Structure formats: structure tokens, C-alpha cells
């Protein structure tokens, strides 16, 4: 089997702590358990990358609003936000682990994620 390694795929996960990173890509999907729409942001710098999912749900909206505001994109009631506007934005993020119980198996899972977005 031949496996092509595309640009950026050979990078390691960013280490924990404060990182300055650029949003290099955004993928869309829906959660495996409840089908909630999300967009996954890839934050990247020379040391590696981290991806973070932003869920379009009442509980997820504060994080989405914060991300856009920190990227310098105005958020107003009644206005639609376009994730394409985030590509190329550089921010300071905190990278760390978050643990949760998988709703299907009950097993604990740990994800590396970005939080506390600050525009650079």
C-alpha cells in the first residue's frame, strides 16, 4: 500500500501551553453521537498543529462567538458567520487536554484541544 503524505500532515501535535498559531484549514462535519453540525479548525505553527471542533449548538455558540471576535470578525445578532473568513488568522491559543466520557461506550476519552483564543 502506498500512502501519500500531503503538506502539513507530517507535523506533530502542538505541545501543551500557550502557542501562537495560524488557522490553516477548516473542515465541516457532524458529531458521531447526535449528528450536531460542527466545524473543525486546524491551528498550526512551525512546531506542529492542533485541531479543535466548534459545535453549532446552544452550548457551543459562546466558543464560536469568541473565536470570531478574537479573529477580529464582527458578530451581530441576525448576521451569518462565514468560517472561510477565519482562514489565515493568527492567534494566541492555549493547548491542553480535555477528558470526557464517550456517550456510546462510557469509556473516558482524552482530546488535545485549543482554548482561550487571543488575536495576535
Amino acid at each position: 500500500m502506498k500512502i501519500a503524505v500531503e503538506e502539513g500532515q507530517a507535523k506533530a501535535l502542538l505541545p501543551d501551553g500557550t502557542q501562537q498559531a495560524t488557522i490553516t484549514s477548516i473542515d465541516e462535519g457532524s458529531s458521531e453521537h447526535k449528528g450536531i453540525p460542527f466545524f473543525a479548525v486546524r491551528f498550526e505553527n512551525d512546531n506542529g498543529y492542533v485541531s479543535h471542533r466548534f459545535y453549532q449548538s446552544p452550548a457551543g455558540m459562546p466558543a464560536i462567538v469568541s473565536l470570531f471576535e478574537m479573529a477580529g470578525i464582527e458578530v451581530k445578532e441576525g448576521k451569518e458567520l462565514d468560517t472561510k473568513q477565519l482562514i489565515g488568522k493568527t492567534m494566541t491559543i492555549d493547548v491542553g487536554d480535555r477528558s470526557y466520557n464517550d456517550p456510546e461506550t462510557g469509556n473516558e476519552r482524552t482530546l488535545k484541544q485549543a482554548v482561550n483564543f487571543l488575536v495576535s
Side-chain angles (χ1 to χ4, degrees), residues 18-23 43 54 63 65-72 89-95 114-120:
T18 302
Q19 302 281 339
Q20 186 169 352
T22 301
I23 297 174
F43 296 94
F54 292 85
V65 168
S66 176
L67 176 68
F68 276 85
E69 287 178 341
M70 292 301 140
K89 299 289 186 180
T90 298
M91 302 180 169
T92 300
I93 59 173
D94 289 333
V95 177
V115 294
N116 299 330
F117 320 103
L118 300 171
V119 73
S120 298

Side-chain angles (χ1 to χ4, degrees), residues 2 23 36 38 43-44 55-56 70-71 85-86 88 101 115:
K2 294 182 181 180
I23 297 174
I36 298 169
F38 70 81
F43 296 94
E44 191 171 337
Y55 289 93
Q56 283 186 266
M70 292 301 140
Q85 293 177 288
L86 296 169
N101 288 329
V115 294

Side-chain angles (χ1 to χ4, degrees), residues 8-112:
Q9 290 180 327
K11 288 191 171 189
L13 289 173
L14 284 171
D16 289 354
T18 302
Q19 302 281 339
Q20 186 169 352
T22 301
I23 297 174
T24 58
S25 67
I26 295 178
D27 295 317
E28 297 177 2
S30 58
S31 67
E32 297 82 0
H33 183 62
K34 292 188 177 183
I36 298 169
F38 70 81
F39 61 96
V41 175
R42 180 178 170 114
F43 296 94
E44 191 171 337
N45 65 24
D46 290 340
N47 298 321
Y49 77 96
V50 66
S51 292
H52 184 95
R53 286 184 178 183
F54 292 85
Y55 289 93
Q56 283 186 266
S57 68
M61 282 308 294
I64 292 172
V65 168
S66 176
L67 176 68
F68 276 85
E69 287 178 341
M70 292 301 140
I73 299 167
E74 184 179 20
V75 177
K76 287 180 22 179
E77 190 173 320
K79 177 183 174 188
E80 288 189 349
L81 299 170
D82 185 351
T83 57
K84 291 178 185 174
Q85 293 177 288
L86 296 169
I87 303 286
K89 299 289 186 180
T90 298
M91 302 180 169
T92 300
I93 59 173
D94 289 333
V95 177
D97 292 337
R98 178 179 73 87
S99 296
Y100 69 98
N101 288 329
D102 184 312
E104 289 186 19
T105 65
N107 295 334
E108 184 176 79
R109 293 185 64 192
T110 301
L111 299 174
K112 187 170 285 276

